[in-house]
Amino acid sequence: KITHIGPAIGPFWTKTTLINSSNITKEITLYNPLAGMNKIDVYILRNNKLSEILYLGDLRPQELRNNLSTYSSFNLTINPSESIIIISKIENFYIYNLGWRISNIYDFSSNEIKKIYFAGLFGSLILIFSFYNILSFFLYKNKSYLIVFATGFSFFLYQYGFHGIIYFLNINLNLELITFITWNSSSFGGIFLLLFTYTFFEQRK
């Protein structure tokens, strides 16, 4: 089933039915695999009656989440032989993924912990790299070091934004600013790469 439709103009509505055909209660997590989705309204129907409404997406305050993660996600309990209908209204800028992935709550939490752990290692390396280049700039008075720092930092912001890390950290950044960073930091990184080439090889000469 194709859920990633690429560039499109929304919003889109989807309907998903989950049936627990076993004789045990299931505890699951549903999440949209595109971390940077802007707005997702989720309507959960039990026995054909509206049970709950959830407001997800990275343009929604973190405080609205029952469980804060890098994805738009929510936990769901399905009783034996129960059928649940999930209706979603999805809005995003340009790129869409309309599907939900289903995971065991424990597995989802474990993967999120691993993701944050490796993001922390990556961020630490970028901080060391940045410190080295800023120090080199003051030592050698060469603007190339500043441009290298700006290039690396731009791609760092892109990775953190695209994978939902900035939103997850909840550091009181404006939510629209987070979206702007995600969509534009890679472009700034490309510009800094061109500036580095122009400066380092002294093309004016």
Side-chain angles (χ1 to χ4, degrees):
K1 184 178 180 180
I2 298 175
T3 59
H4 180 76
I5 62 174
I9 298 176
F12 292 93
W13 289 83
T14 66
K15 179 182 178 182
T16 304
T17 301
L18 300 178
I19 302 174
N20 182 4
S21 57
S22 70
N23 58 0
I24 61 174
T25 300
K26 299 285 187 178
E27 300 281 346
I28 60 175
T29 297
L30 283 82
Y31 66 97
N32 188 292
L34 185 58
M37 297 296 287
N38 290 158
K39 293 181 180 179
I40 305 178
D41 299 345
V42 180
Y43 303 87
I44 301 174
L45 286 79
R46 297 177 185 265
N47 300 318
N48 292 319
K49 293 182 179 180
L50 183 62
S51 170
E52 189 176 6
I53 302 176
L54 303 172
Y55 298 101
L56 308 175
D58 63 357
L59 286 184
R60 299 276 173 63
Q62 290 89 340
E63 291 73 23
L64 293 179
R65 299 284 188 92
N66 291 329
N67 56 316
L68 183 61
S69 70
T70 58
Y71 297 100
S72 290
S73 66
F74 61 97
N75 296 333
L76 197 62
T77 300
I78 308 181
N79 298 316
S81 303
E82 184 179 24
S83 175
I84 295 179
I85 297 174
I86 299 172
I87 297 175
S88 307
K89 178 186 177 185
I90 303 173
E91 297 180 68
N92 198 31
F93 174 72
Y94 194 57
I95 295 177
Y96 277 83
N97 193 308
L98 303 181
W100 293 103
R101 290 186 182 174
I102 302 174
S103 174
N104 176 277
I105 288 180
Y106 174 79
D107 292 337
F108 179 79
S109 299
S110 297
N111 290 331
E112 282 289 283
I113 291 172
K114 292 176 183 177
K115 184 177 182 179
I116 299 302
Y117 173 76
F118 285 111
L121 288 179
F122 175 70
S124 299
L125 291 174
I126 291 295
L127 288 176
I128 295 171
F129 177 76
S130 300
F131 178 76
Y132 168 79
N133 281 281
I134 291 174
L135 182 62
S136 297
F137 167 73
F138 286 109
L139 288 175
Y140 303 111
K141 307 301 181 183
N142 189 330
K143 289 185 292 185
S144 298
Y145 289 105
L146 277 184
I147 298 174
V148 170
F149 155 72
T151 303
F153 193 68
S154 296
F155 289 122
F156 161 77
L157 289 177
Y158 171 74
Q159 291 295 329
Y160 264 46
F162 182 77
H163 292 286
I165 306 296
I166 298 178
Y167 181 88
F168 172 81
L169 292 176
N170 193 11
I171 51 178
N172 294 320
L173 284 179
N174 181 278
L175 298 178
E176 293 186 359
L177 176 61
I178 294 175
T179 299
F180 177 83
I181 289 172
T182 302
W183 282 99
N184 294 281
S185 52
S186 61
S187 299
F188 284 110
I191 293 171
F192 289 132
L193 276 176
L194 292 175
L195 284 175
F196 172 77
T197 303
Y198 181 82
T199 305
F200 183 79
F201 293 104
E202 299 181 343
Q203 293 191 359
R204 283 185 297 178
K205 297 182 182 180

